[in-house]
Amino acid sequence: MLVSYRWLQELCPVEADVAEVARRISLAGLEVESIEEKGHNLADVVVAEVRAKNPHPKRDNLTLVRVFDGEDELDVVCGASNVPEPGGRVLFARPGAVLPNGMEIAARKVGGVESSGMICSEAELAIGSDAEGIFVMAPDSEPLPGAPVAEALDLHDFILDVGLTPNRPDCLGHVGIAREIGVLFGVAYRPRKAAGPRKAFTAEAVFETSQPTIELAPLWDSVADLDDPPTLPEISVEIENGDRCPRYGAALVSGVRVAPSPFWLRYRLHNLGLRALSNVVDATNLILLEWGHPIHGFDLDHLRGSKVVVRLAKDGERMSTLDGVERTFSTDDLLICDGERPVAVAGVMGGLDSEIREETKDVLIECAYFDPRSIRRTSRRLGLHTDSSHRFERGVDPEAVPQVLASAAGLIAELGGGAVATTAIDRIASPREARTIRLRPSRAAQLLGTPVSAEESLRILKSLGCSIVEQGDAEIIAEPPSWRPDLQREVDLIEEVARVRGYDEIPTAVPRVHPSETGTPGLVKTVDALRDAAVTAGLYEAINYGFVSTEDLRKARVSTDAVRLANPLSEERAVMRTSLLPGLTGAAARAQRHGASAATLFEIARTFEPSGDALPCERTTLAIALAGQRRGWIGGADPFDVYDGKGVLAAILDRVFGRVPEVVPGEVPAFMHPKRSAVVTLESRPVGFVGEIHPDVADDLELIGRVVYAELDVAALYGLAEELGPPQAQGLPKFPAVTRDIAMLVREEYSAGEIAGALATASKGLAESVSLFDLYRGGQIPEGHRSLAFRVTYRDPEATLTDKQVDKVHASLAKVARDRFEATIR
């Protein structure tokens, strides 16, 4: 949020420069991200008086203007059409001046005529957005020719860019930040009264007598009555849905003249990021920036039925908003209507038909309090985020309605020359319930780690605007102010005490660590070891939300029987994940969309499933995703396949548990490819699965190409490791090994792993290893068969093997292959 330091000083003057104010409010939680000085970079730009103007001798669209800059008379060629008559005053950049956009002004010929300087527009000096013509000062302006423009127009200011957290809606206006500064600097902030209108009239005949009304006159600094009040129709306000609109206020300004705003207002809006439109609209925007409370102005002549109705929309009801877009509403959208039709989307944007226009004479001002959740839903459903919805979504001050109405009515009347009705409507459909919070200084001291006295707590709470209900040494009962919806619990008040005192006042101390009798839990150690091993294997860790949408689970073909959140952030984060697949493949898909040639990711996290108890069933899982192409040695690259997944799992498990996993046929989840997936076992016990994701699932998850995916049950791995104990180191062999190969032709139904295991068993302990080194299909191999070649390493730990011994054992392996697997030995 952009904040004017000068405006803050008007609201709460403190004896501190802008840097100190920024430092103090940043330490208190309102982080100042940047400070920009305004009006300091306009050296050699001065007020000049037009002495003469004549058509350019050669260019029809140019004017030759003679100006007096306080020192000399200079001729300037100007292309603007609004050059004033002699005696008018303009803003003149002397030769040598450098404009904010970097343009350096120098004397040069334009159409053969020497031009010494430049007459500037608002946009060229970065003091406004109007680039249609040059800046012409008001006829009654005081600055003399030669006066620096920064002094003449009072431009100097500092603009602070303040980063606000969502829990501080009270600081979405200058009043709220000025209130904070008053607390931090010990200055008694008092909200100023609104400037009183020059003319006012009583409005008993305007607002229906049955309406709850308030008097605005006591909220103005002065007021002059109007002898001849205008004749206006009676106006009523009806609230059909009090839970959505607890409070609605309306004030009336009659006889306004819509015109451009004065420069001071346009300049302030420009510095704060808003474009000036007209005096009436600009006044509503200025009130928004001052109070942080959105208001809206209706053209009274375009409100039908002389009434305002706050109600829920009818399904399919339509209205064109101020941005010119026709929008369709649902029965959950709150609308502001007249007697016949919608005229505004409550808390979001006004309607096109009732907007303020050049011919507007009578303005009905709306100032309301809407339920934040209602505005948030409508804003998101319509895809329409505005300055108003941003504030209403977070919560405005419901008790500020009278003061904001008075300020708005007085300012519009001041700028537009209208008369203000001293009576305003203030309908309260659902009164605000006051809440009290207990603060115990002892509890505050316990949480903050430093003594906190009751006297200091009391002083801080009062400075924040809290009403003290009860007070004592042991506890204080306080009622938080209406503008602080974030203060709900005792810890909130304790945080306020810490904030105002200064977080830097909390002593820094290293906490004492009490060692656990049992040490770090074994499962935690296993998770850390698996994470380190996955990184060592070349994978990158992904950390995804534990919340997903039901649609994400459906696309991934995993269980949609998920734990639903009571208050989700959005539909995309409505349930707790039942699998790591949606999040991990989502990260891989994003990497692919951004042009990554490979995504090698892993995640160790918990999944959640309903258990029937208060808490869900949690399971810790290691998931791996390999997408794209593996790197080749010399420029070549092939897609990842299931063997890459198996290799990664082997590297991880061997590093952590000292054991190599096996991959065997078995039942895998429905989202895996039925022919290119397998069960992962460790010591013949299933611990997970690995393979390719089913093509249909990959398409739904927007993955490119084949993607290898694997999951390991961390709890099962930990339990197995605990049962088997740590791997034992083996001594170096004392006797040499003998290597023999065996090749065979077998049917496809027999897996290589199954055959290798049988061969190892048949060796009666002499086979140190049995590894597959060749697989061949096609050619002269019969259909449904394949050729497998194994390398068997024999070693006797007690003696050197002879050829006769090896030949005998090797023959028994061939016999097992023939008898058990119907193999043809080659």
Side-chain angles (χ1 to χ4, degrees), residues 244-272:
R244 299 292 190 93
C245 177
R247 188 167 187 171
Y248 190 96
L252 183 63
V253 183
S254 178
V256 301
R257 184 175 65 85
V258 177
S261 297
F263 174 73
W264 69 266
L265 177 52
R266 301 199 310 272
Y267 181 63
R268 179 159 286 183
L269 292 178
H270 173 74
N271 283 343
L272 298 176

mmCIF file of all heavy atoms in Angstrom, residues 244-272:
data_model
loop_
_atom_site.group_PDB
_atom_site.id
_atom_site.type_symbol
_atom_site.label_atom_id
_atom_site.label_comp_id
_atom_site.label_asym_id
_atom_site.label_seq_id
_atom_site.Cartn_x
_atom_site.Cartn_y
_atom_site.Cartn_z
ATOM 1 N N ARG A 244 -25.424 -10.526 5.783
ATOM 2 C CA ARG A 244 -24.470 -10.146 4.735
ATOM 3 C C ARG A 244 -24.157 -8.651 4.792
ATOM 4 O O ARG A 244 -23.077 -8.237 4.386
ATOM 5 C CB ARG A 244 -25.036 -10.485 3.356
ATOM 6 C CG ARG A 244 -25.313 -11.964 3.143
ATOM 7 C CD ARG A 244 -24.028 -12.784 3.090
ATOM 8 N NE ARG A 244 -24.277 -14.156 2.653
ATOM 9 C CZ ARG A 244 -24.193 -14.552 1.402
ATOM 10 N NH1 ARG A 244 -23.879 -13.705 0.457
ATOM 11 N NH2 ARG A 244 -24.428 -15.813 1.089
ATOM 12 N N CYS A 245 -25.103 -7.851 5.236
ATOM 13 C CA CYS A 245 -24.906 -6.402 5.340
ATOM 14 C C CYS A 245 -25.415 -5.934 6.697
ATOM 15 O O CYS A 245 -26.560 -5.497 6.835
ATOM 16 C CB CYS A 245 -25.636 -5.667 4.210
ATOM 17 S SG CYS A 245 -25.514 -3.860 4.312
ATOM 18 N N PRO A 246 -24.580 -6.036 7.736
ATOM 19 C CA PRO A 246 -25.047 -5.643 9.072
ATOM 20 C C PRO A 246 -25.350 -4.160 9.206
ATOM 21 O O PRO A 246 -26.177 -3.781 10.039
ATOM 22 C CB PRO A 246 -23.879 -6.047 9.975
ATOM 23 C CG PRO A 246 -23.137 -7.096 9.199
ATOM 24 C CD PRO A 246 -23.274 -6.684 7.766
ATOM 25 N N ARG A 247 -24.702 -3.314 8.383
ATOM 26 C CA ARG A 247 -24.910 -1.869 8.558
ATOM 27 C C ARG A 247 -24.798 -1.177 7.207
ATOM 28 O O ARG A 247 -23.915 -1.468 6.401
ATOM 29 C CB ARG A 247 -23.877 -1.297 9.519
ATOM 30 C CG ARG A 247 -24.132 0.153 9.924
ATOM 31 C CD ARG A 247 -23.250 0.528 11.098
ATOM 32 N NE ARG A 247 -23.584 1.855 11.626
ATOM 33 C CZ ARG A 247 -23.101 2.367 12.761
ATOM 34 N NH1 ARG A 247 -22.242 1.644 13.492
ATOM 35 N NH2 ARG A 247 -23.452 3.569 13.183
ATOM 36 N N TYR A 248 -25.733 -0.242 6.968
ATOM 37 C CA TYR A 248 -25.738 0.488 5.704
ATOM 38 C C TYR A 248 -26.087 1.938 5.985
ATOM 39 O O TYR A 248 -27.115 2.235 6.601
ATOM 40 C CB TYR A 248 -26.749 -0.104 4.727
ATOM 41 C CG TYR A 248 -26.657 0.438 3.319
ATOM 42 C CD1 TYR A 248 -25.929 -0.248 2.354
ATOM 43 C CD2 TYR A 248 -27.270 1.627 2.965
ATOM 44 C CE1 TYR A 248 -25.837 0.241 1.050
ATOM 45 C CE2 TYR A 248 -27.178 2.125 1.673
ATOM 46 C CZ TYR A 248 -26.457 1.429 0.717
ATOM 47 O OH TYR A 248 -26.359 1.926 -0.571
ATOM 48 N N GLY A 249 -25.207 2.846 5.539
ATOM 49 C CA GLY A 249 -25.438 4.274 5.719
ATOM 50 C C GLY A 249 -25.534 4.986 4.388
ATOM 51 O O GLY A 249 -24.934 4.569 3.395
ATOM 52 N N ALA A 250 -26.298 6.074 4.355
ATOM 53 C CA ALA A 250 -26.465 6.860 3.134
ATOM 54 C C ALA A 250 -26.581 8.331 3.490
ATOM 55 O O ALA A 250 -27.274 8.702 4.441
ATOM 56 C CB ALA A 250 -27.699 6.405 2.353
ATOM 57 N N ALA A 251 -25.872 9.179 2.752
ATOM 58 C CA ALA A 251 -25.938 10.629 2.917
ATOM 59 C C ALA A 251 -26.200 11.243 1.558
ATOM 60 O O ALA A 251 -25.965 10.613 0.514
ATOM 61 C CB ALA A 251 -24.642 11.168 3.523
ATOM 62 N N LEU A 252 -26.648 12.484 1.553
ATOM 63 C CA LEU A 252 -27.077 13.131 0.316
ATOM 64 C C LEU A 252 -26.404 14.481 0.152
ATOM 65 O O LEU A 252 -26.346 15.281 1.086
ATOM 66 C CB LEU A 252 -28.598 13.314 0.320
ATOM 67 C CG LEU A 252 -29.229 13.905 -0.939
ATOM 68 C CD1 LEU A 252 -29.009 12.994 -2.134
ATOM 69 C CD2 LEU A 252 -30.716 14.125 -0.719
ATOM 70 N N VAL A 253 -25.862 14.706 -1.043
ATOM 71 C CA VAL A 253 -25.320 16.007 -1.430
ATOM 72 C C VAL A 253 -26.073 16.445 -2.676
ATOM 73 O O VAL A 253 -26.107 15.719 -3.673
ATOM 74 C CB VAL A 253 -23.807 15.947 -1.702
ATOM 75 C CG1 VAL A 253 -23.279 17.346 -2.029
ATOM 76 C CG2 VAL A 253 -23.062 15.372 -0.520
ATOM 77 N N SER A 254 -26.669 17.629 -2.626
ATOM 78 C CA SER A 254 -27.517 18.104 -3.718
ATOM 79 C C SER A 254 -26.906 19.325 -4.380
ATOM 80 O O SER A 254 -26.238 20.138 -3.738
ATOM 81 C CB SER A 254 -28.910 18.455 -3.179
ATOM 82 O OG SER A 254 -29.734 18.956 -4.196
ATOM 83 N N GLY A 255 -27.137 19.424 -5.682
ATOM 84 C CA GLY A 255 -26.712 20.611 -6.415
ATOM 85 C C GLY A 255 -25.228 20.663 -6.709
ATOM 86 O O GLY A 255 -24.656 21.758 -6.824
ATOM 87 N N VAL A 256 -24.568 19.511 -6.846
ATOM 88 C CA VAL A 256 -23.137 19.522 -7.139
ATOM 89 C C VAL A 256 -22.902 19.820 -8.612
ATOM 90 O O VAL A 256 -23.788 19.650 -9.456
ATOM 91 C CB VAL A 256 -22.474 18.179 -6.769
ATOM 92 C CG1 VAL A 256 -22.659 17.862 -5.299
ATOM 93 C CG2 VAL A 256 -23.010 17.043 -7.632
ATOM 94 N N ARG A 257 -21.696 20.265 -8.909
ATOM 95 C CA ARG A 257 -21.289 20.473 -10.296
ATOM 96 C C ARG A 257 -20.057 19.606 -10.546
ATOM 97 O O ARG A 257 -19.006 19.824 -9.948
ATOM 98 C CB ARG A 257 -20.953 21.940 -10.555
ATOM 99 C CG ARG A 257 -20.612 22.249 -12.007
ATOM 100 C CD ARG A 257 -20.419 23.737 -12.206
ATOM 101 N NE ARG A 257 -19.272 24.223 -11.465
ATOM 102 C CZ ARG A 257 -18.002 24.186 -11.928
ATOM 103 N NH1 ARG A 257 -17.756 23.675 -13.112
ATOM 104 N NH2 ARG A 257 -17.022 24.654 -11.205
ATOM 105 N N VAL A 258 -20.208 18.606 -11.399
ATOM 106 C CA VAL A 258 -19.107 17.694 -11.693
ATOM 107 C C VAL A 258 -18.103 18.405 -12.589
ATOM 108 O O VAL A 258 -18.456 18.947 -13.636
ATOM 109 C CB VAL A 258 -19.622 16.412 -12.362
ATOM 110 C CG1 VAL A 258 -18.461 15.501 -12.728
ATOM 111 C CG2 VAL A 258 -20.612 15.701 -11.455
ATOM 112 N N ALA A 259 -16.864 18.416 -12.147
ATOM 113 C CA ALA A 259 -15.807 19.126 -12.862
ATOM 114 C C ALA A 259 -14.471 18.483 -12.500
ATOM 115 O O ALA A 259 -14.395 17.622 -11.618
ATOM 116 C CB ALA A 259 -15.813 20.611 -12.474
ATOM 117 N N PRO A 260 -13.386 18.904 -13.169
ATOM 118 C CA PRO A 260 -12.070 18.376 -12.780
ATOM 119 C C PRO A 260 -11.714 18.768 -11.346
ATOM 120 O O PRO A 260 -12.115 19.832 -10.859
ATOM 121 C CB PRO A 260 -11.113 19.020 -13.788
ATOM 122 C CG PRO A 260 -11.977 19.361 -14.965
ATOM 123 C CD PRO A 260 -13.310 19.729 -14.388
ATOM 124 N N SER A 261 -10.960 17.921 -10.676
ATOM 125 C CA SER A 261 -10.539 18.184 -9.303
ATOM 126 C C SER A 261 -9.421 19.216 -9.270
ATOM 127 O O SER A 261 -8.677 19.374 -10.248
ATOM 128 C CB SER A 261 -10.046 16.891 -8.637
ATOM 129 O OG SER A 261 -11.072 15.953 -8.544
ATOM 130 N N PRO A 262 -9.278 19.928 -8.163
ATOM 131 C CA PRO A 262 -8.138 20.842 -8.023
ATOM 132 C C PRO A 262 -6.829 20.063 -8.036
ATOM 133 O O PRO A 262 -6.796 18.860 -7.756
ATOM 134 C CB PRO A 262 -8.396 21.518 -6.669
ATOM 135 C CG PRO A 262 -9.294 20.586 -5.934
ATOM 136 C CD PRO A 262 -10.143 19.925 -6.964
ATOM 137 N N PHE A 263 -5.737 20.782 -8.308
ATOM 138 C CA PHE A 263 -4.449 20.101 -8.481
ATOM 139 C C PHE A 263 -4.018 19.361 -7.229
ATOM 140 O O PHE A 263 -3.471 18.249 -7.319
ATOM 141 C CB PHE A 263 -3.371 21.105 -8.892
ATOM 142 C CG PHE A 263 -2.004 20.483 -8.935
ATOM 143 C CD1 PHE A 263 -1.660 19.613 -9.960
ATOM 144 C CD2 PHE A 263 -1.082 20.725 -7.928
ATOM 145 C CE1 PHE A 263 -0.412 19.009 -9.986
ATOM 146 C CE2 PHE A 263 0.169 20.129 -7.942
ATOM 147 C CZ PHE A 263 0.504 19.264 -8.986
ATOM 148 N N TRP A 264 -4.219 19.917 -6.040
ATOM 149 C CA TRP A 264 -3.729 19.261 -4.827
ATOM 150 C C TRP A 264 -4.319 17.855 -4.686
ATOM 151 O O TRP A 264 -3.648 16.928 -4.242
ATOM 152 C CB TRP A 264 -4.041 20.097 -3.578
ATOM 153 C CG TRP A 264 -5.513 20.164 -3.217
ATOM 154 C CD1 TRP A 264 -6.405 21.131 -3.571
ATOM 155 C CD2 TRP A 264 -6.247 19.201 -2.443
ATOM 156 N NE1 TRP A 264 -7.657 20.838 -3.074
ATOM 157 C CE2 TRP A 264 -7.588 19.663 -2.372
ATOM 158 C CE3 TRP A 264 -5.920 18.012 -1.810
ATOM 159 C CZ2 TRP A 264 -8.581 18.962 -1.682
ATOM 160 C CZ3 TRP A 264 -6.914 17.313 -1.128
ATOM 161 C CH2 TRP A 264 -8.226 17.795 -1.066
ATOM 162 N N LEU A 265 -5.593 17.713 -5.096
ATOM 163 C CA LEU A 265 -6.250 16.409 -4.998
ATOM 164 C C LEU A 265 -5.752 15.474 -6.085
ATOM 165 O O LEU A 265 -5.460 14.298 -5.829
ATOM 166 C CB LEU A 265 -7.765 16.592 -5.090
ATOM 167 C CG LEU A 265 -8.627 15.329 -5.084
ATOM 168 C CD1 LEU A 265 -8.278 14.429 -3.915
ATOM 169 C CD2 LEU A 265 -10.104 15.682 -5.052
ATOM 170 N N ARG A 266 -5.617 15.981 -7.304
ATOM 171 C CA ARG A 266 -5.110 15.145 -8.391
ATOM 172 C C ARG A 266 -3.693 14.671 -8.088
ATOM 173 O O ARG A 266 -3.343 13.513 -8.343
ATOM 174 C CB ARG A 266 -5.118 15.920 -9.722
ATOM 175 C CG ARG A 266 -6.478 16.431 -10.165
ATOM 176 C CD ARG A 266 -6.488 16.756 -11.659
ATOM 177 N NE ARG A 266 -5.375 17.591 -12.072
ATOM 178 C CZ ARG A 266 -5.368 18.925 -12.060
ATOM 179 N NH1 ARG A 266 -6.451 19.584 -11.636
ATOM 180 N NH2 ARG A 266 -4.323 19.594 -12.478
ATOM 181 N N TYR A 267 -2.870 15.557 -7.522
ATOM 182 C CA TYR A 267 -1.481 15.217 -7.234
ATOM 183 C C TYR A 267 -1.395 14.156 -6.140
ATOM 184 O O TYR A 267 -0.609 13.208 -6.232
ATOM 185 C CB TYR A 267 -0.729 16.481 -6.814
ATOM 186 C CG TYR A 267 0.736 16.251 -6.513
ATOM 187 C CD1 TYR A 267 1.604 15.809 -7.500
ATOM 188 C CD2 TYR A 267 1.252 16.490 -5.241
ATOM 189 C CE1 TYR A 267 2.960 15.598 -7.233
ATOM 190 C CE2 TYR A 267 2.594 16.292 -4.956
ATOM 191 C CZ TYR A 267 3.442 15.844 -5.968
ATOM 192 O OH TYR A 267 4.776 15.642 -5.686
ATOM 193 N N ARG A 268 -2.232 14.299 -5.125
ATOM 194 C CA ARG A 268 -2.198 13.312 -4.045
ATOM 195 C C ARG A 268 -2.643 11.941 -4.555
ATOM 196 O O ARG A 268 -2.027 10.919 -4.231
ATOM 197 C CB ARG A 268 -3.076 13.780 -2.881
ATOM 198 C CG ARG A 268 -3.142 12.818 -1.717
ATOM 199 C CD ARG A 268 -3.562 13.510 -0.438
ATOM 200 N NE ARG A 268 -2.481 14.323 0.111
ATOM 201 C CZ ARG A 268 -2.559 14.995 1.261
ATOM 202 N NH1 ARG A 268 -3.669 14.946 1.992
ATOM 203 N NH2 ARG A 268 -1.541 15.705 1.684
ATOM 204 N N LEU A 269 -3.685 11.882 -5.343
ATOM 205 C CA LEU A 269 -4.138 10.614 -5.899
ATOM 206 C C LEU A 269 -3.080 10.013 -6.816
ATOM 207 O O LEU A 269 -2.835 8.802 -6.799
ATOM 208 C CB LEU A 269 -5.451 10.799 -6.659
ATOM 209 C CG LEU A 269 -6.696 11.157 -5.833
ATOM 210 C CD1 LEU A 269 -7.896 11.348 -6.750
ATOM 211 C CD2 LEU A 269 -6.993 10.092 -4.788
ATOM 212 N N HIS A 270 -2.445 10.867 -7.620
ATOM 213 C CA HIS A 270 -1.402 10.383 -8.543
ATOM 214 C C HIS A 270 -0.250 9.750 -7.777
ATOM 215 O O HIS A 270 0.228 8.658 -8.144
ATOM 216 C CB HIS A 270 -0.897 11.550 -9.395
ATOM 217 C CG HIS A 270 0.278 11.195 -10.258
ATOM 218 N ND1 HIS A 270 0.172 10.423 -11.393
ATOM 219 C CD2 HIS A 270 1.609 11.498 -10.126
ATOM 220 C CE1 HIS A 270 1.363 10.266 -11.933
ATOM 221 N NE2 HIS A 270 2.259 10.897 -11.195
ATOM 222 N N ASN A 271 0.190 10.371 -6.715
ATOM 223 C CA ASN A 271 1.292 9.820 -5.932
ATOM 224 C C ASN A 271 0.925 8.499 -5.271
ATOM 225 O O ASN A 271 1.798 7.670 -5.002
ATOM 226 C CB ASN A 271 1.722 10.816 -4.849
ATOM 227 C CG ASN A 271 2.567 11.947 -5.412
ATOM 228 O OD1 ASN A 271 3.097 11.853 -6.521
ATOM 229 N ND2 ASN A 271 2.697 13.018 -4.659
ATOM 230 N N LEU A 272 -0.369 8.295 -5.014
ATOM 231 C CA LEU A 272 -0.821 7.087 -4.336
ATOM 232 C C LEU A 272 -1.372 6.046 -5.310
ATOM 233 O O LEU A 272 -2.016 5.087 -4.903
ATOM 234 C CB LEU A 272 -1.867 7.439 -3.287
ATOM 235 C CG LEU A 272 -1.347 8.368 -2.171
ATOM 236 C CD1 LEU A 272 -2.463 8.743 -1.217
ATOM 237 C CD2 LEU A 272 -0.201 7.721 -1.416
#
